[in-house]
Amino acid sequence: MEFVCLAILGILTGSISALFGIGGGMIIVPAMLYLHYILPNLTFSTHDAIGISVMQMIFSSVFGTAINFFQKKNLDLHAALFLGLGGLIGASFSGILLEWIAEKHLTLIFLCVSLFTFYKFVRSAKTKPKNVMLTQLQQCYILIIIGAFTGIFAISLGIGGGVILVPLLMHYLGFNTKKIVPLSLFFIMCAACSGTMSFMRHEIITTHVLYAGLLLGGFSIIGVIIGTKLIDIIAVKIHHRILIIIYLISILATLNKVLRYYGIL
């Protein structure tokens, strides 16, 4: 039963990752914290959930990026390289950040980041992406800064970066969501690899976490195949609406956990 649950979650996460470029952490982190209600033997802490989420991201993002680059040819490689460079730099500090922050505070931060990015996304989604006039050098600097900022906080929270990248890239560079999806997957690939190495150095990834992360990651590849096919047939407006629903479900689940951690419920 444990294998089946993790396999299904992996496929679902991979599909969402490829379809929306949000790394899957918005699904995995809350799901791992509630999985013990279905399987009592599967109990994970917030730190465990983040480690599992980041490991899964490697599988789905590498496979999704390969499809976007070689098959679909919709990846802006120039922008992706600078965004990925920032992600490598920022994510390398994620293990240190996890050691400093207690579990309940980390969950609260995850909720706050989710609420902020949801607000920014809804505001950005109401209007067409604005025309941003920048030189190539300015765009490179902004991509590195956004990548580094997103890498250190997103990987530390196990959310990959898509939930932060979408509003930032829309607002500061004028990118639309369908352009951001392949960029986000490339960023997640770079940041997740760097973050996983940082987690291993700080002993955040244990044998228990490693097993769940590998299983989820392996099955997420099936989901990536499904997601990359769906993105071509879903209209931009529907794409926005589905992503809003995913945000809301994740936020409500995390809010419930935060209220329990702080003894309010």
Side-chain angles (χ1 to χ4, degrees), residues 10-97:
I11 294 172
L12 176 64
T13 302
S15 300
I16 292 172
S17 175
L19 187 55
F20 300 106
I22 61 173
M26 290 290 289
I27 303 298
I28 289 181
V29 174
M32 290 293 105
L33 298 179
Y34 284 91
L35 203 56
H36 66 276
Y37 288 111
I38 301 173
L39 298 171
N41 292 331
L42 278 182
T43 302
F44 296 100
S45 68
T46 303
H47 288 78
D48 291 339
I50 290 171
I52 292 168
S53 176
V54 173
M55 285 191 63
Q56 175 276 327
M57 291 174 200
I58 297 176
F59 287 82
S60 58
S61 60
V62 168
F63 192 70
T65 296
I67 291 175
N68 285 325
F69 184 72
F70 293 106
Q71 181 180 332
K72 302 171 77 66
K73 302 185 186 302
N74 62 353
L75 174 66
D76 182 343
L77 188 58
H78 179 268
L81 289 174
F82 285 98
L83 190 65
L85 174 61
L88 283 170
I89 296 169
S92 64
F93 295 97
S94 57
I96 299 173
L97 202 62

Side-chain angles (χ1 to χ4, degrees), residues 134-182:
L134 296 169
T135 66
Q136 192 173 59
L137 185 60
Q138 287 174 326
Q139 187 181 81
C140 292
Y141 283 140
I142 291 174
L143 285 166
I144 292 173
I145 292 170
I146 289 176
F149 171 80
T150 305
I152 188 169
F153 290 106
I155 295 300
S156 298
L157 298 174
I159 56 177
V163 294
I164 299 176
L165 285 177
V166 170
L168 291 179
L169 293 179
M170 287 180 74
H171 180 74
Y172 291 105
L173 294 173
F175 293 171
N176 62 49
T177 54
K178 286 202 170 184
K179 180 176 181 177
I180 293 171
V181 168

Side-chain angles (χ1 to χ4, degrees), residues 108-124:
L108 178 60
I109 293 171
F110 180 93
L111 175 64
C112 293
V113 171
S114 299
L115 287 169
F116 173 74
T117 53
F118 174 66
Y119 168 74
K120 294 292 289 184
F121 175 77
V122 170
R123 283 198 62 188
S124 299

